[in-house]
Amino acid sequence: MMENIEELSPLRITATVRALSSALRGKREHVHGSSRGKGDRMFPEPEKLWFKESSAKNLRNRDFLSPSTMLNTLYAGGKVPPAVMSRVLLLRGSGVLPVAGGEVMGEGLRLRVDRVASFRAVLAGGTTEYLKPSSQMEGCVVLNCPALHPKPNTPTPDTLSLGQLRTVLLANHIGTLFRRKGFEVYFCPTLPEDSDVATFLQALGIDWPTAPANWTNDEREEKIQKALENSPYREKGTERGRRTSGGGGRKAVEEENEGGLRINLKQVFQEEGLLGYDPTLGTCKVHRDSVSHLAQLDLSTADITGTMATVLHVTSCQDEFRQQQIAILWRASGATHSQRHLVCGPVKTPGSHLTAAQYLQ
């Protein structure tokens, strides 16, 4: 019965480290250091006994390492007794990765996982258990992808750079990880369902939110516009534009901003104690695409009740400065959600500059 339980239990690094620590320490709670005249010494904490290797170079010859400093603490001269070594190499247990071999080297006791047996165990038992979160968490995350916002027109596969495409792929991947952890995940912006970029993302297997082509977000844009007009961070001396009596929505916002509505961004992040923003951010003129961007963020957080959302802006390095401006403008409009920025480096294609559409081809 126990063997069946072990076979069905998903393999876990944490379970392996605990089992390896127990095997290396044995049942004793302290060792004697008589050769140094220091009396009894306590064992190190279990989580410090083993190091899970992650570098590609070191993974060629080891998966786990118990550093020589730890071995010296456990055993005189760092020499692992044969009985202990045998116990480590023959380790088995629920959720424990099978060990293929190991030896004591200058850096410490290194172990290699039987990767073939591990993969067979995973594939034989299915992947369902591995897709379950290790612990359920609560919260809401909004993943905002600046590359997909209109500037002023909705982007197309021919206008998306590879760096911007990377941010979309990464945002989609992060959303999957958050959902597995139990978070509610929302994506921003909402794309026109008949747009080329929406079709392009579907071809890549990305399920991005869409809305009918005739859908507008005018009411939220007007709301954001008024909030910025009344913001305490509005630059003094800027004139209000003329609003036509019969107009509304996007046209009204555009006419309102003809007067040069400006927000003092530096004052916002200094007075509100926001860290990590570019110190050169100063006064920013509010443009139509900025209001549209903020209205989309407002829409993405509209259905979140009872909890604060964390908004993660996944942006490319070429859009980083502009996205910092947007984030602070949103704060100036009254938004209180926590905001974080994930900035992706450039994608280099020597000898050519490929668009997202060319890359897919």
Side-chain angles (χ1 to χ4, degrees):
M1 186 65 177
M2 181 60 72
E3 290 179 357
N4 290 336
I5 292 175
E6 290 176 6
E7 289 176 3
L8 294 175
S9 299
L11 302 174
R12 302 289 187 194
I13 291 176
T14 51
T16 304
V17 170
R18 284 195 298 268
L20 287 173
S21 299
S22 178
L24 191 60
R25 287 165 49 124
K27 296 183 179 180
R28 299 167 302 167
E29 294 300 326
H30 59 272
V31 293
H32 187 70
S34 58
S35 61
R36 298 185 183 183
K38 294 184 179 179
D40 291 347
R41 294 178 294 164
M42 296 300 295
F43 273 113
E45 294 298 321
E47 61 271 14
K48 296 181 180 179
L49 287 178
W50 291 96
F51 171 74
K52 174 63 183 75
E53 191 56 69
S54 59
S55 75
K57 178 181 178 181
N58 291 334
L59 281 171
R60 296 170 187 168
N61 53 51
R62 70 189 187 217
D63 293 283
F64 294 93
L65 176 70
S66 182
S68 56
T69 53
M70 294 293 102
L71 298 181
N72 288 328
T73 302
L74 293 172
Y75 303 106
K79 297 180 179 179
V80 181
V84 174
M85 191 69 179
S86 177
R87 190 165 61 226
V88 170
L89 295 179
L90 296 176
L91 186 65
R92 295 291 184 273
S94 177
V96 177
L97 290 160
V99 177
E103 57 275 325
V104 177
M105 306 294 288
E107 65 269 26
L109 171 55
R110 66 185 191 187
L111 295 181
R112 295 180 301 281
V113 168
D114 189 337
R115 298 177 186 176
V116 174
S118 299
F119 278 110
R120 282 176 178 167
V122 171
L123 296 176
T127 59
T128 303
E129 289 297 321
Y130 296 92
L131 298 179
K132 291 181 180 179
S134 56
S135 60
Q136 284 293 324
M137 308 173 102
E138 293 183 357
C140 295
V141 178
V142 176
L143 292 164
N144 178 40
C145 206
L148 296 179
H149 282 270
K151 303 182 185 67
N153 299 317
T154 301
T156 69
D158 291 316
T159 60
L160 275 181
S161 69
L162 288 189
Q164 292 172 324
L165 175 60
R166 171 190 273 175
T167 66
V168 181
L169 296 172
L170 188 57
N172 180 67
H173 178 64
I174 292 173
T176 301
L177 296 180
F178 272 122
R179 283 197 177 109
R180 289 178 184 173
K181 282 292 184 181
F183 287 87
E184 287 186 72
V185 178
Y186 301 86
F187 291 92
C188 182
T190 298
L191 299 173
E193 62 184 4
D194 62 344
S195 61
D196 291 340
V197 70
T199 303
F200 177 76
L201 295 183
Q202 289 173 1
L204 294 176
I206 298 176
D207 185 20
W208 202 272
T210 59
N214 59 355
W215 173 83
T216 66
N217 204 20
D218 289 351
E219 289 186 9
R220 292 188 184 278
E221 290 186 10
E222 288 193 67
K223 169 190 166 185
I224 293 292
Q225 177 72 25
K226 291 178 180 178
L228 290 174
E229 290 172 10
N230 298 319
S231 171
Y233 303 107
R234 177 175 179 167
E235 189 77 359
K236 304 302 181 183
T238 56
E239 297 296 330
R240 295 180 183 268
R242 298 188 306 275
R243 186 185 299 274
T244 57
S245 57
R250 185 178 295 274
K251 181 179 180 182
V253 168
E254 190 171 5
E255 291 178 350
E256 187 74 14
N257 287 337
E258 287 179 357
L261 174 61
R262 296 177 181 273
I263 301 295
N264 191 326
L265 304 182
K266 178 170 287 190
Q267 184 184 359
V268 177
F269 70 74
Q270 285 181 341
E271 291 189 5
E272 301 201 16
L274 305 179
L275 302 177
Y277 286 91
D278 193 314
T280 63
L281 287 169
T283 300
C284 175
K285 184 176 180 180
V286 179
H287 295 281
R288 166 181 159 180
D289 59 326
S290 302
V291 175
S292 171
H293 195 137
L294 298 181
Q296 284 275 6
L297 286 170
D298 187 65
L299 174 66
S300 299
T301 57
D303 295 331
I304 300 174
T305 58
T307 183
M308 292 295 292
T310 296
V311 179
L312 180 60
H313 305 289
V314 187
T315 186
S316 63
C317 53
Q318 69 192 75
D319 298 326
E320 177 186 8
F321 187 82
R322 177 59 180 157
Q323 190 53 39
Q324 288 198 21
Q325 291 180 319
I326 293 293
I328 301 179
L329 279 176
W330 197 30
R331 188 81 174 199
S333 72
T336 57
H337 295 291
S338 173
Q339 299 184 70
R340 297 291 184 268
H341 298 255
L342 177 60
V343 182
C344 303
V347 178
K348 298 180 180 179
T349 52
S352 63
H353 297 283
L354 298 179
T355 66
Q358 292 170 333
Y359 176 76
L360 183 61
Q361 293 171 3

